[in-house]
Amino acid sequence: MTSNALTTVILAAGKGTRMKSRLPKVLHPIAGRPMLGHVLAAATGLDSTKTVLVAGPGMDDVAGYARNMAANVSIAIQQSQLGTGDAARAAATQISNRDGVVLFVFGDTPLVRRETLSDMVERCRKESDIVILAFEAADPTGYGRVVREGEEVKRIVEHKDASEEIRSIRLCFGGPMAVRAAHLQALLATLTNDNAQGEYYLTDFVAHGRAAGLSCSAVICPESDIQGVNSRADLAAAEGVMQDRLRAAAMAEGVTFLDPDTVYLSHDTVFGEDVTVGQNVVFAPGCRIGSGATIKAFSHLEGAEIGEGAEIGPFARLRPGTFVGRKAKIGNFVETKKARIEDGAKISHLSYIGDARVGPEANIGAGTITCNYDGYNKFFTDIGAGAFVGSNSSLVAPVKIGDGAYVGSGSVVTKDVAPDALAVARGKQFEKSGWAAGFRAKNETAKQKKSSGD
Ligand code: UD1
Ligand code: MG
């Protein structure tokens, strides 16, 4: 074969009924990204000439997601879900190359690695007309069984069509299949739905191809790289595998996890060197953690960028749009949203800082709240460099606290405070000497009178 053309076809039109969900199966997330996103990332990393996504009619969210994520994906619509072979047929009209390789991948196998797919494509280019991906399943129930003779794959038998003898085979079909494009049309023409499920099976390419003199071999990968997601239990199992992978990769990059199994990462979490993460921390999508930062136990971060040497938590909640500068500190029970906490600033306890900037080295006292929302609109609070906001203050946005200004504890600040000024906005304390003693004496006398009169 001369051509290196590669068309990758992702099958995602299935109804996913076993998920019992309104959300299409391939949009269920693993590590904060839809399963389809993981498969697309693996597929588009292969230098495919073209990527075709097969979706069902009305699956606009699936098609839209794929288009957003990868610019050159074309969408094929499979009118009714008649099986994986029929889905391949729906894609065929979009496959123009008559040479090179066509790689089919299922949208419900999010753990598949790019390197594995790449090995399959190479082997299909050089050695076999058809290359399938197979794995030894601990429990093969439900999977197609791979029947081999030496290295040659003879056929794949779906679980529902298999005899007891075939069911005892533990080598299963994982989903990905590479086929030389020159044979695709002929193979599609051989498909029938004469089987237990009345479906057109992609897996029949193997037996039908061999009958026509084509060769077929298997690339074998660990089960944890290819286990399919058909149910919520499978989804949870795949999440577990992905989390282990992400944790291992982070530790290899120089992150210390005090208890790795309790830390949840997203597919896009980025760590610098020498980051320390405590127990029970969640990194939702969009987090970048700078070198030397410490994220203490029970913190939840999403869409947050943390500067070098910053200290977060325990029990901090950083919401999207949070930026924390170098050596800044966010302590316990602090919530931030769309907030720029600049270098060396401190928000140590019990605060809500949203739609705000906290200048470098500013200190925000316990219980400070930015009142950013009036039920309709959001307003900005700007706190200058080195400002000191006393405990339990409410900053009613829009408002600006100047550089180096002080705000007295318990203030409700509604007007801008000039740089280096002191603002106190609370009721004035007054004192009546002896008032409490008099109050008690009066009431005690009344009480005694009442009881002696009874
Ligand atoms: C399929 C394989 C099985 C394999 C297993 C691996 C077939 C016939 N069976 O079974 O051998 O062990 O995957 O996980 O191929 N899809 C469509 N259109 C359809 C039907 C399915 O696009 O009409 C898509 C689905 O969205 C899904 C993929 O194809 O992403 C696989 O379909 P699914 O129904 O999950 O097949 P399995 O029963 O898992
Ligand atoms: Mg499946």
Side-chain angles (χ1 to χ4, degrees), residues 310-347:
E311 212 180 286
I312 310 295
F315 297 99
R317 176 158 188 230
L318 275 45
R319 292 170 51 205
T322 295
F323 168 91
V324 179
R326 292 160 64 96
K327 299 212 156 124
K329 185 175 174 227
I330 309 279
N332 43 264
F333 307 109
V334 171
E335 175 180 346
T336 61
K337 185 220 68 168
K338 270 198 192 159
R340 230 188 124 72
I341 317 302
E342 298 184 340
D343 295 356
K346 289 190 177 62
I347 312 171

Side-chain angles (χ1 to χ4, degrees), residues 160-224:
K160 287 188 178 152
D161 299 295
S163 62
E164 279 310 311
E165 193 192 339
I166 299 264
R167 283 186 183 181
S168 69
I169 296 175
R170 293 201 9 239
L171 190 66
C172 295
F173 175 48
M177 183 188 290
V179 178
R180 289 188 184 165
H183 306 302
L184 183 63
Q185 292 301 336
L187 285 168
L188 285 170
T190 66
L191 295 182
T192 67
N193 62 355
D194 183 15
N195 52 53
Q197 301 185 81
E199 286 185 2
Y200 296 90
Y201 292 162
L202 180 69
T203 44
D204 281 345
F205 274 14
V206 176
H208 297 182
R210 277 182 52 84
L214 303 184
S215 57
C216 177
S217 65
V219 164
I220 314 269
C221 72
E223 177 164 16
S224 57

Side-chain angles (χ1 to χ4, degrees), residues 18 25 106 108 228-230:
R18 288 167 280 181
K25 174 162 77 173
F106 292 173
D108 68 347
V229 174
N230 295 310

